[in-house]
Amino acid sequence: MATNVIEQGQATVEMTAGRAPTSVGVFQLTPLEGTPRGWRATGGRLTIGTHPSNDVVLDEATVSRFHCELRAQDDGVWVADLDSRNGTLVDGIRVKSAMLRHGHVLRLGRAALRFERLAEREALEISPRTAFGALVGSSVAMRTVFANLEKAAPTDATVLLEGETGTGKGAVAEALHAASPRARGPFVVVDCGALTASLLESELFGHEKGAFTGADARRIGAFEEASGGTIFLDEIGELPAEMQPRLLRVLENRTVRRVGHNTQTPVDLRVVAATNRDLRSLVNDGRFRADLYYRLAVVRVHIPSLRERPDDLPELVSSLLRTLGASDAQVGRLTAAAVLDRLRASTWQGNVRELRNYLERSLVLDDAAPLDAPLASTAGPTTLPEARRRALDGFERSYLQELLRRHHGKVAAAAREAGVARVYLYRLLGKHGLKPGAPSDE
């Protein structure tokens, strides 16, 4: 039977001339006939599915564990399907991503919800600070992130950082650690996408002497090394399936067992993980354990892309230039109004990392370097996630080609400049069909 229970979330962003949004309008989702009851939830992002970590939980077999997400943006409320099994329909039309209008009916499998916009408004929780560790930004998007980080930092809660490649998730993890009671303890980084399952097992858990061929001495793993501090698991979405149960046990029991050893060793640490992929889609696809996601996403923090916070460019450029050792004169030239206008017009598919590389080139030239030409638009209509993926793939390929040219195909030197492990760089080269050993002229 239909119920009168209302699921609430945040919707339209309030905008005033020349000012950032400080409040959001409220929307409601009313369950229609035959749709099971959920519960009340608020947030700039509202997820729907059968998994208990969703904001709206539906007890319906045709609904995926993480089915879809509603997100408030400057231009309204958008719904995005999370690679659900039966798809998301808006007024009978299957969509990957679509803007919602008042009265639209969302159909998720056999469940149906009516979307309605309300007159109420809700203030955004914004930090008064404009920096958090190495992170800088006065935009509402970043100060909202700072507010979330301020609440999470003094706790031991596991944090999942989400965001595009190059948004600075590593810097966020370091800032969290530095602002926590564990700041004097170790901060250990493990790139889960850079190693094979067997190497990653040894890296995370350690091994005893003679545990396998080549194990000439006992090795302490990253979890034990990070005890008393924080372990940062980067690219957690790339974690091999066979490693996921072992990580889950560490999160649940806070003990580890070295390879070739029978005893469990207690560890006292805080876990921060990061991903540029949507783990919920991987859960739906069976490539990531739902119970592991539940343990990792105790606190979820979305790091906005550079395109989502163009107002931060002046102070971000100035901060990066100082970090790169620029002189006052160089900072003045590269923060001139005309230069900043050009930077705001760029798409920055590689986000802050790409901006830093651009500024470094500009310092070498001692003037504003030419900006790369915008990526050609894809032929025919496409969804926003697909367009973003293609743009990112294009940026990665161009970046790798230039990297190989500069280092004459030498992967070790290229990896050092890129700040990634050689194994990870080999994987990226393979993904884009580029061969190390000689620069690509494709």
Side-chain angles (χ1 to χ4, degrees):
M1 293 293 295
T3 73
N4 294 322
V5 173
I6 291 175
E7 316 297 340
Q8 289 193 329
Q10 295 177 346
T12 322
V13 179
E14 180 181 281
M15 299 291 292
T16 54
R19 296 177 60 189
T22 57
S23 69
V24 291
V26 177
F27 63 78
Q28 70 182 25
L29 295 174
T30 308
L32 301 182
E33 187 72 28
T35 298
R37 169 177 172 164
W39 59 71
R40 187 178 294 267
T42 61
R45 294 179 171 208
L46 186 150
T47 58
I48 307 173
T50 61
H51 195 274
S53 66
N54 286 285
D55 302 300
V56 177
V57 180
L58 299 177
D59 183 15
E60 166 56 56
T62 58
V63 174
S64 294
R65 281 178 283 194
F66 298 98
H67 200 103
C68 67
E69 176 182 69
L70 275 67
R71 185 187 304 179
Q73 296 185 348
D74 291 358
D75 52 356
V77 183
W78 287 74
V79 61
D81 184 74
L82 298 175
D83 293 330
S84 62
R85 183 174 66 255
N86 291 315
T88 298
L89 282 73
V90 177
D91 280 1
I93 299 174
R94 185 163 181 160
V95 300
K96 181 65 179 175
S97 178
M99 182 184 287
L100 294 176
R101 304 292 184 191
H102 183 83
H104 272 165
V105 173
L106 288 174
R107 190 166 292 279
L108 323 175
R110 287 194 291 265
L113 304 165
R114 184 182 300 280
F115 172 85
E116 296 171 300
R117 295 170 67 163
L118 304 179
E120 299 108 276
R121 307 203 67 80
E122 185 172 311
L124 292 171
E125 188 171 0
I126 302 170
S127 171
R129 67 199 300 168
T130 58
F132 191 92
L135 306 170
V136 296
S138 300
S139 66
V140 168
M142 282 306 291
R143 288 164 60 202
T144 301
V145 170
F146 295 162
N148 291 331
L149 296 177
E150 287 166 6
K151 289 189 291 185
T155 75
D156 267 346
T158 301
V159 178
L160 178 62
L161 304 174
E162 302 170 314
E164 295 178 11
T165 296
T167 49
K169 296 184 289 295
V172 174
E174 286 190 67
L176 264 177
H177 173 70
S180 76
R182 297 177 175 272
R184 293 190 177 184
F187 179 74
V188 178
V189 181
V190 177
D191 187 342
C192 298
L195 302 171
T196 63
S198 59
L199 290 175
L200 186 59
E201 182 179 37
S202 178
E203 177 74 18
L204 288 173
F205 302 103
H207 60 256
E208 294 295 321
K209 181 178 179 179
F212 50 83
T213 303
D216 300 326
R218 189 177 83 164
R219 176 179 178 179
I220 300 298
F223 282 116
E224 286 187 73
E225 186 183 348
S227 196
T230 302
I231 187 168
F232 175 45
L233 303 176
D234 200 10
E235 301 294 351
I236 193 67
E238 309 299 329
L239 189 71
E242 58 267 40
M243 291 297 300
Q244 293 178 22
R246 292 203 63 180
L247 175 57
L248 178 62
R249 284 194 290 273
V250 175
L251 295 176
E252 289 178 336
N253 305 324
R254 287 302 196 265
T255 61
V256 296
R257 181 175 60 83
R258 299 187 202 115
V259 179
H261 199 263
N262 294 325
T263 304
Q264 296 285 343
T265 302
V267 289
D268 171 28
L269 48 74
R270 199 239 187 107
V271 177
V272 178
T275 180
N276 62 2
R277 308 180 70 179
D278 195 322
L279 296 187
R280 298 165 302 179
S281 295
L282 299 183
V283 169
N284 288 339
D285 200 33
R287 288 181 288 166
F288 203 86
R289 292 178 63 115
D291 47 4
L292 178 55
Y293 171 80
Y294 188 69
R295 287 287 181 176
L296 289 170
V298 176
V299 178
R300 288 175 59 208
V301 180
H302 172 74
I303 312 303
S305 67
L306 201 49
R307 298 181 301 283
E308 295 175 81
R309 54 185 191 109
D311 290 345
D312 287 339
L313 269 170
E315 58 192 307
L316 186 56
V317 168
S318 181
S319 175
L320 288 172
L321 287 171
R322 295 298 184 192
T323 302
L324 292 168
S327 66
D328 290 342
Q330 288 173 318
V331 172
R333 281 197 296 274
L334 293 172
T335 56
V339 176
L340 291 175
D341 285 344
R342 288 168 51 206
L343 297 184
R344 288 190 187 96
S346 180
T347 56
W348 300 115
Q349 298 295 336
N351 291 294
V352 177
R353 185 180 299 151
E354 183 185 359
L355 176 62
R356 181 188 173 93
N357 290 342
Y358 167 79
L359 294 174
E360 197 166 10
R361 289 200 306 271
S362 297
L363 291 179
V364 171
L365 297 174
D366 201 29
D367 198 3
L371 285 166
D372 294 335
L375 292 170
S377 59
T378 54
T382 185
T383 63
L384 177 61
E386 175 64 12
R388 182 185 291 120
R389 184 191 65 76
R390 293 181 187 178
L392 183 57
D393 283 349
F395 161 75
E396 280 186 352
R397 183 177 175 83
S398 298
Y399 176 84
L400 293 170
Q401 286 175 323
E402 182 182 350
L403 196 65
L404 288 177
R405 288 191 185 96
R406 278 202 302 274
H407 295 284
H408 307 288
K410 296 178 180 178
V411 173
R416 279 195 298 272
E417 179 185 326
V420 299
R422 277 184 291 174
V423 176
Y424 181 60
L425 186 58
Y426 272 115
R427 187 164 64 83
L428 284 178
L429 293 174
K431 171 186 172 183
H432 294 286
L434 302 175
K435 294 182 179 181
S440 172
D441 292 319
E442 294 180 5

